[in-house]
Every structure is written in C-alpha cells, then in structure tokens.
Amino acid sequence: MAATRADRTSGNYTVFHDSVYTACEPCKDDPKKPPLWQVKSARMIHDQSEKMIYFEDARLEFFGQPMAWLPYFSAPDPTVKRKTGLLIPSINSSKIYGTAIELPYYWALAPNYDATFSPLITTGQGVLLQGEFRQRTLNGQYDIRAAGIRQLNTNYFAPASPASTRPAIATSAAASKRRASSRSTRTGSGAGTACC
C-alpha cells in the first residue's frame, strides 16, 4: 500500500488518499517495472476489525495499463485467506446458448470445507444452476459437483444415437489428455515471466 496521505481514526480505520494497492512484490529484475496488477483509488479505507479494504473511485491496472474503473468496491485485506462473498462475474456468448452471465458466489463454511454456487443465466437456454462442494480430510480431499438446467430450447441438444456417441467419447478423452498435458506444461518451473 502507498498513498500521498493517510489518516487513522477510531483505532481500527486507516483512510489512504490517492492510494495504490497491490499484493505483488516489486520485480527483482526491474523494481521500476509495474506490478502484474494494482488498484489506484482516490480513497482507500482499511477496516482492521472487519479485515476489509474499501476502494472509492478505483482503477484496476494490469502491467501498468488501466483495464477497469469502479466507483466503489471492496476486498478482504491480505491477512484473510478465504472470505464468503460474490466472486468476479463473467459474461460471454455462444451460438448454442446466446449471451450468458455467470454470477459465482463463494461460501467459506469452515477451515477444511467450502462451496461455490455459480448460476449461469443464458438468453437462449435458460438458467444453468451449478455448484461445487470441496472438503479436505485427514487423508486427502474430495469435490462434489452438480449442475442442472431447464432448457428453453429442448430440441437443440437432441439425443444422439448410441453408435454416434462412441467417437464423441473418444474425442472427449483425447481432449482431456491434451488439457492435462497443457496444465502440466503451464505449472512447470519456466512458466510465465510476470513479476508477482
């Protein structure tokens, strides 16, 4: 956090004026290089009792380039590992389901389990309700995922004949292998050059 001025009130509120916030460390190779992401705001209020940071008149920047302006938003402070709340919505479109918006909501239920509910509201196929429950145990972890939709256009995804499903399954298995291979490549030691 950095600001031109900071005022502390009531023992647990700090108000930063003309502030910059990022969780990224300065780049070791070039400390003057902009961080991967940062939020610049006219006012930033850190509530230490709630462990929340509130931003007013904020600009979200990636690699030093402004990407979004938000009149007001909040986020947990860096000491919080998990917090219940709305996650970043996504908007996309497809010929299959039209325009869609996904509104994920995260519940931090306990230190060892949580859940995410992500309704996908589409213009062409209706509302897809989807959820995921995750739990860590002493010997491992498990995930439970479920989804359901009441389609607006029930003829679009007509059932296929049994003979035509075999190639689709083989294709799906091959695609899964390709995704797993690309994931292992991305998580390798040389992945990415961004400083954060």
Side-chain angles (χ1 to χ4, degrees):
M1 284 187 232
T4 57
R5 190 179 102 222
D7 303 316
R8 188 154 175 91
T9 59
S10 303
N12 60 340
Y13 294 101
T14 307
V15 180
F16 299 90
H17 301 274
D18 297 321
S19 61
V20 178
Y21 172 79
T22 184
C24 298
E25 294 291 327
C27 186
K28 292 177 185 172
D29 300 334
D30 182 7
K32 293 182 180 179
K33 183 179 179 182
L36 173 65
W37 68 270
Q38 65 184 358
V39 178
K40 291 183 175 179
S41 61
R43 232 169 68 124
M44 179 175 66
I45 302 164
H46 182 207
D47 184 341
Q48 291 176 327
S49 63
E50 285 186 17
K51 296 188 177 192
M52 289 292 290
I53 300 174
Y54 301 93
F55 300 90
E56 296 174 3
D57 190 19
R59 293 174 314 283
L60 180 62
E61 294 183 357
F62 289 95
F63 299 105
Q65 298 301 314
M67 292 297 189
W69 173 80
L70 300 164
Y72 177 84
F73 82 99
S74 62
D77 76 16
T79 63
V80 176
K81 292 184 180 179
R82 305 175 328 139
K83 186 156 181 83
T84 295
L86 187 66
L87 300 175
I88 298 173
S90 63
I91 299 173
N92 53 50
S93 65
S94 162
K95 290 181 181 178
I96 296 171
Y97 52 77
T99 302
I101 182 167
E102 185 173 9
L103 303 165
Y105 192 85
Y106 173 78
W107 279 283
L109 300 168
N112 63 327
Y113 58 90
D114 58 28
T116 306
F117 178 66
S118 305
L120 179 71
I121 303 162
T122 70
T123 58
Q125 289 296 334
V127 179
L128 170 67
L129 300 177
Q130 49 193 352
E132 182 176 11
F133 176 83
R134 296 167 293 275
Q135 182 168 9
R136 287 190 316 259
T137 63
L138 293 174
N139 299 322
Q141 71 177 38
Y142 63 90
D143 296 3
I144 300 171
R145 295 180 185 164
I149 188 171
R150 182 162 187 241
Q151 287 181 260
L152 296 177
N153 182 358
T154 56
N155 295 326
Y156 194 87
F157 297 102
S161 66
S164 68
T165 58
R166 282 188 216 119
I169 292 170
T171 304
S172 177
S176 294
K177 286 181 185 176
R178 282 195 303 274
R179 282 194 301 271
S181 172
S182 72
R183 259 189 252 124
S184 66
T185 304
R186 281 183 280 167
T187 57
S189 61
T193 57
C195 293
C196 186

